[in-house]
């Protein structure tokens, strides 16, 4: 056993000397693991926040303003502005400039006071369904939290909530994660394979 250890030590020393001479290999040994650690540990985020959002208001009222303020405070939505037409909202979604378009209907406040469960339309860019999922779950909870204190007559809460949230998932309505994950995995696999083949060739 001692003889084998003695034989191994020169090989280890030789490899360190080779690494010292070959700075490219040394850089790859250190740089690639650090790069992968940054990607998998920090860059990949399954619960993204501050997603760009625009609002289409058919009615401006205290209730709509309260709901918009609650969206901002949640941390999931960054309101980058408002639009006046549905066509303008469609163009922003198609260009990828926003992740969500939230539309408040006409007579929203009156319907809410009457207990009619007005509908809020949420159009989401679901190209990455994981990114959209967390933000949509927040919107589902915001209705009772925002409006119940101002509607004391609705206790216990209305079944299904005080509002109806209609979600239209655009560009990936089925929520297939493979469309988003597979291209990234191909890049990672190719990177690791090329590095391995280069190391074997050397």
């Amino acid at each position: 056993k001692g003889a084998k250890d003695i034989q191994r030590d020169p090989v280890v020393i030789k490899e360190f000397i080779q690494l010292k001479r070959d700075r490219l290999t040394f850089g790859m040994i250190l740089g690639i693991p650090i790069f992968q650690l940054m990607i998998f540990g920090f860059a990949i985020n399954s619960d993204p926040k501050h997603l760009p959002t625009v609002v289409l208001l058919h009615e401006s009222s205290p209730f709509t303003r309260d709901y918009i303020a609650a969206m901002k405070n949640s941390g999931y939505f960054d309101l980058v502005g408002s639009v006046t037409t549905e066509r303008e909202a469609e163009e922003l979604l198609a260009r990828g400039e926003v992740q969500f378009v939230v539309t408040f209907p006409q007579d929203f406040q009156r319907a809410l006071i009457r207990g009619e469960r007005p509908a809020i339309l949420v159009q989401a860019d679901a190209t990455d369904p994981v990114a959209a999922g967390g933000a949509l779950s927040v919107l589902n909870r915001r209705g009772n939290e925002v409006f119940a204190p101002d509607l004391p007559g609705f206790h216990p809460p209305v079944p299904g909530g005080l509002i109806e949230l209609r979600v239209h998932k655009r560009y990936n309505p089925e929520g297939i994660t493979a469309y988003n994950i597979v291209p990234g995995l191909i890049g990672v696999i190719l990177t690791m394979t090329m590095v391995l083949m280069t190391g074997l060739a050397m």
Side-chain angles (χ1 to χ4, degrees):
K1 183 177 179 180
K4 291 183 179 179
D5 291 338
I6 292 174
Q7 291 176 357
R8 290 173 183 169
D9 289 342
V11 175
V12 174
I13 295 172
K14 175 254 182 188
E15 292 297 330
F16 276 104
I17 294 174
Q18 181 66 25
L19 285 177
K20 184 178 179 181
R21 293 175 177 174
D22 189 355
R23 295 184 177 181
L24 179 60
T25 303
F26 184 72
M28 290 173 61
I29 290 175
L30 287 181
I32 292 176
I34 293 174
F35 179 70
Q36 291 178 337
L37 180 63
M38 293 177 62
I39 291 178
F40 293 109
F42 299 98
I44 299 176
N45 184 6
S46 60
D47 188 28
K49 297 185 178 181
H50 304 290
L51 302 172
T53 305
V54 294
V55 174
L56 176 57
L57 278 175
H58 293 293
E59 173 190 278
S60 180
S61 66
F63 284 97
T64 57
R65 289 192 291 269
D66 288 345
Y67 194 82
I68 293 172
M71 290 172 56
K72 293 179 181 178
N73 294 334
S74 70
Y76 282 89
F77 304 93
D78 271 352
L79 295 180
V80 296
S82 59
V83 293
T84 56
T85 63
E86 294 182 4
R87 181 176 180 179
E88 188 178 355
E90 293 272 352
E91 291 176 353
L92 290 175
L93 275 175
R95 292 198 299 264
E97 296 183 14
V98 297
Q99 187 85 21
F100 296 97
V101 176
V102 181
T103 304
F104 292 87
Q106 188 71 32
D107 296 328
F108 175 79
Q109 177 170 309
R110 184 172 64 178
L112 188 62
I113 294 173
R114 290 180 176 180
E116 298 175 358
R117 296 190 68 226
I120 295 178
L121 174 63
V122 180
Q123 299 178 75
D125 182 353
T127 306
D128 183 359
V130 177
L136 291 176
S137 65
V138 169
L139 287 181
N140 276 323
R141 299 193 303 267
R142 280 295 181 263
N144 286 341
E145 295 176 2
V146 174
F147 301 126
D150 295 324
L151 300 171
F154 294 98
H155 291 290
V158 176
L162 294 170
I163 61 172
E164 178 186 356
L165 199 66
R166 296 180 182 175
V167 180
H168 290 179
K169 296 181 179 180
R170 308 293 301 276
Y171 313 119
N172 185 14
E174 297 167 348
I176 300 175
T177 57
Y179 295 158
N180 181 261
I181 294 176
V182 170
L185 288 177
I186 290 175
V188 173
I189 292 171
L190 287 176
T191 301
M192 297 178 67
T193 304
M194 294 300 103
V195 170
L196 179 61
M197 296 303 295
T198 302
L200 291 175
M202 294 174 62

